[in-house]
Amino acid sequence: MVNPSDDNSLDRRTVLKGTGALGIASLAGCLGDGNGNGNGNGNGNGNGDGNGNGDGGSVIEWHAGGEGGTYFPLSNQFKSIVDEETEFSLQVQSTGASVENVGSLDTEAADFALIQNDIAYFARNGESLDAFEGAPVEGLRGVATLYPETIHIVIRADADISSLSDLEGRTVNTGDLGSGTQINALQILESVAGLTTDDFQQQNSGFSDASDQLQNGDIDAAFVVGGWPVGAIENLATNTDITILNLSDSERQAAKDDASWFADDTIPAGTYAGIDEDVNTVSVQAMIATHTGIEADTVETIGNAIFDNVDQLSIKTDFISRESGQDGMSIELHEGAARLYE
């Protein structure tokens, strides 16, 4: 098992206490609206029986994320490649993303899923989230890391907020309850600004609802975790004056000192309408995960199809490669995935 350094001064169990003791499968993840409607109906174009075993048939259950984020459109591009290049057909489902997807992998309702590398670590090692505490997801395995999942802190332009400490006393949407977004938000707020949920008014929903809240002036800020450009933020920026909070060097360092999976990241100027300067922030890694119930040959075939056809992707092509597929991998690889890097 990969065990990143845990020399952290802050007790993450304290930070994450407020996430609640929800069951894994009911938790919603970053950017998700929890509707479970892949391509509007949850069916993709697969024709299998939905038994989730991924073997002995052609249909692979692939759980993505909310339709407004990066997971869902990228997963559908993976589907196009796998359907064309292999005997398998991906059935892509819209979900609440990381935490919910871990639950689906644990029950083998999903064969593959996109999750954050920090959530993978928590789940595999049975820590930090109440849903995982003392109950490691033994069968969870890694396939490949893909790209940075950037922490966006979206601010109403008229909110007069220029640092994380300015969020004290404000109304902040930290993402769906129990999601990877909420976990990252609470970590950053406490480690960087010393703020706990007693210090601000917390709202919890997916970013579609948070966008409406920002437009209506009901909240001051919202945390969004996703590879830029995030479609939902693009849409919001065209209709509403927003800013994205720039983190100072010391703020980024404080976040990294507390959690080893954070890395420096920058949102380039012009990524979103009205954001004319680079925005410095931090990120985690998006990754493909599977479980031990999937045959090694299946994992190898699907992994090879993706890596050999990255030129067919239009999302995150600068980041996705076989050479970087183990960068930031926080859990042990599936047997079939290990073959991809031999």
Side-chain angles (χ1 to χ4, degrees):
M1 184 184 305
V2 178
N3 290 302
S5 172
D6 194 30
D7 295 330
N8 302 323
S9 59
L10 183 64
D11 182 354
R12 286 189 296 278
R13 290 176 175 79
T14 301
V15 176
L16 304 177
K17 187 176 180 180
T19 58
L22 299 178
I24 296 176
S26 68
L27 294 176
C30 64
L31 296 174
D33 57 11
N35 60 17
N37 295 326
N39 289 326
N41 61 15
N43 292 324
N45 66 4
N47 57 8
D49 60 9
N51 62 13
N53 62 21
D55 298 304
S58 64
V59 175
I60 296 291
E61 298 288 344
W62 185 290
H63 287 200
E67 294 180 21
T70 305
Y71 283 8
F72 188 74
L74 179 60
S75 292
N76 276 291
Q77 292 193 6
F78 289 157
K79 172 181 171 57
S80 296
I81 292 172
V82 172
D83 287 8
E84 177 68 24
E85 301 292 334
T86 78
E87 65 186 29
F88 300 109
S89 176
L90 300 192
Q91 182 164 284
V92 176
Q93 181 169 318
S94 173
T95 71
S98 292
V99 179
E100 180 179 330
N101 288 354
V102 168
S104 297
L105 290 170
D106 189 32
T107 62
E108 301 191 4
D111 302 316
F112 294 82
L114 298 189
I115 62 178
Q116 293 175 201
N117 65 338
D118 57 331
I119 302 302
Y121 180 86
F122 295 154
R124 182 65 186 89
N125 290 283
E127 63 177 60
S128 294
L129 270 174
D130 285 340
F132 303 140
E133 189 76 48
V137 181
E138 301 284 357
L140 186 65
R141 293 293 184 270
V143 177
T145 54
L146 299 173
Y147 61 87
E149 291 228 81
T150 307
I151 312 296
H152 298 69
I153 307 170
V154 185
I155 308 291
R156 282 195 356 259
D158 61 355
D160 192 27
I161 293 170
S162 59
S163 69
L164 283 168
S165 61
D166 291 336
L167 294 177
E168 184 173 5
R170 302 301 188 97
T171 303
V172 182
N173 191 313
T174 59
D176 277 318
L177 188 64
S179 68
T181 297
Q182 188 195 24
I183 292 167
N184 295 152
L186 297 182
Q187 285 174 325
I188 290 169
L189 286 166
E190 183 158 356
S191 62
V192 175
L195 300 179
T196 71
T197 52
D198 293 331
D199 300 313
F200 60 92
Q201 179 64 44
Q202 181 178 209
Q203 295 284 317
N204 295 108
S205 69
F207 194 63
S208 294
D209 289 340
S211 294
D212 292 338
Q213 291 176 319
L214 285 165
Q215 285 183 305
N216 297 333
D218 296 331
I219 62 174
D220 300 299
F223 280 75
V224 182
V225 180
W228 50 260
V230 174
I233 300 178
E234 288 184 305
N235 294 336
L236 176 65
T238 61
N239 300 310
T240 305
D241 289 334
I242 62 168
T243 62
I244 299 177
L245 190 62
N246 185 79
L247 300 185
S248 68
D249 290 345
S250 62
E251 287 176 324
R252 293 203 290 183
Q253 189 60 52
K256 292 185 295 181
D257 286 346
D258 175 54
S260 61
W261 42 82
F262 285 133
D264 287 342
D265 199 6
T266 299
I267 303 168
T271 299
Y272 303 108
I275 309 299
D276 299 324
E277 296 182 355
D278 289 351
V279 177
N280 292 322
T281 182
V282 293
S283 65
V284 291
Q285 284 274 335
M287 60 178 281
I288 302 171
T290 187
H291 59 78
T292 54
I294 301 299
E295 294 285 346
D297 288 348
T298 300
V299 176
E300 182 181 14
T301 297
I302 290 174
N304 276 326
I306 291 171
F307 282 142
D308 291 345
N309 294 279
V310 171
D311 60 347
Q312 296 185 35
L313 300 173
S314 63
I315 299 172
K316 297 300 172 186
T317 54
D318 290 343
F319 299 100
I320 300 172
S321 72
R322 193 184 303 266
E323 291 70 30
S324 62
Q326 296 184 79
D327 293 352
M329 180 58 68
S330 56
I331 59 175
E332 61 265 51
L333 290 172
H334 190 283
E335 176 189 354
R339 298 176 188 170
L340 300 172
Y341 310 107
E342 291 176 349

